[in-house]
Amino acid sequence: MTQQITLGGGCFWCLEGAFKQVRGVLKVQSGYAGGHKENPTYEEVCSGSTGHAEVLQVTFEPTALSVREILEIFFALHDPTQVNRQGNDVGTQYRTSIFYQTDEQKRLAEEIIAEMEREKTWDAPIVTTIEALEKFWPAEDYHENYVERNPENAYCQAVVHPKLAKFKRTFAEKLDG
């Protein structure tokens, strides 16, 4: 039986490019969660007025990939100490967040954050929110496979490609192919 978890770690293009390569991930879907407006658009979310975060919904096979492993990858892909931003991307839509769908996901998220705080993995406190997923709104179609379809895009070259290269080196044993 498959599971889903929804993660916000800045721009969803970075998360999508990484998670779609992980063995055990069956599907990734960019979208929006945690806001108050029905069916928000990218432009509305980017304005900061809807309260949504840019997120990636990850559908995975728990016998091949555990929630803990997904969260370890997630925390390696972004800086969970930055409030409402990731690098130059600033706004509540870029907040670090975990939208859980099961009590186990919530427990593991709390456990991993507590471990990282105890071990002082980061120089600053972790600000990742842990919230029950109330509603996931899929992003517009043009966001799917964005990095693959737009390799020459300046943002992809400056931000996404270096992040994905580091990801591939760090998690090579977990990748397909």
Side-chain angles (χ1 to χ4, degrees), residues 132-147:
L133 180 67
E134 292 183 22
K135 180 71 177 167
F136 171 79
W137 299 99
E140 296 81 354
D141 289 344
Y142 69 88
H143 291 292
E144 296 308 306
N145 300 310
Y146 189 87
V147 176

Side-chain angles (χ1 to χ4, degrees), residues 113-150:
I113 289 172
E115 287 172 13
M116 289 189 302
E117 291 283 25
R118 198 170 42 254
E119 296 168 5
K120 304 229 182 285
T121 303
W122 298 90
D123 292 334
I126 294 170
V127 296
T128 303
T129 61
I130 302 171
E131 307 170 45
L133 180 67
E134 292 183 22
K135 180 71 177 167
F136 171 79
W137 299 99
E140 296 81 354
D141 289 344
Y142 69 88
H143 291 292
E144 296 308 306
N145 300 310
Y146 189 87
V147 176
E148 285 177 20
R149 291 185 300 100
N150 298 280

Side-chain angles (χ1 to χ4, degrees), residues 83-119:
V83 177
N84 296 331
R85 74 177 302 150
Q86 284 297 301
N88 291 329
D89 293 332
V90 178
T92 57
Q93 69 271 25
Y94 300 116
R95 67 186 179 272
T96 173
S97 47
I98 298 168
F99 293 91
Y100 64 89
Q101 294 184 28
T102 68
D103 290 339
E104 178 202 23
Q105 291 175 358
K106 179 183 181 187
R107 180 185 60 75
L108 286 168
E110 291 169 342
E111 190 176 285
I112 289 171
I113 289 172
E115 287 172 13
M116 289 189 302
E117 291 283 25
R118 198 170 42 254
E119 296 168 5

Side-chain angles (χ1 to χ4, degrees), residues 38-75:
E38 298 281 311
N39 203 25
T41 66
Y42 180 67
E43 290 73 22
E44 290 170 333
V45 171
C46 285
S47 76
S49 65
T50 69
H52 290 86
E54 284 192 21
V55 295
L56 186 74
Q57 189 162 76
V58 180
T59 304
F60 63 100
E61 176 53 59
T63 59
L65 183 67
S66 70
V67 172
R68 177 175 267 285
E69 289 172 311
I70 287 173
L71 293 174
E72 288 171 352
I73 292 168
F74 169 66
F75 282 114

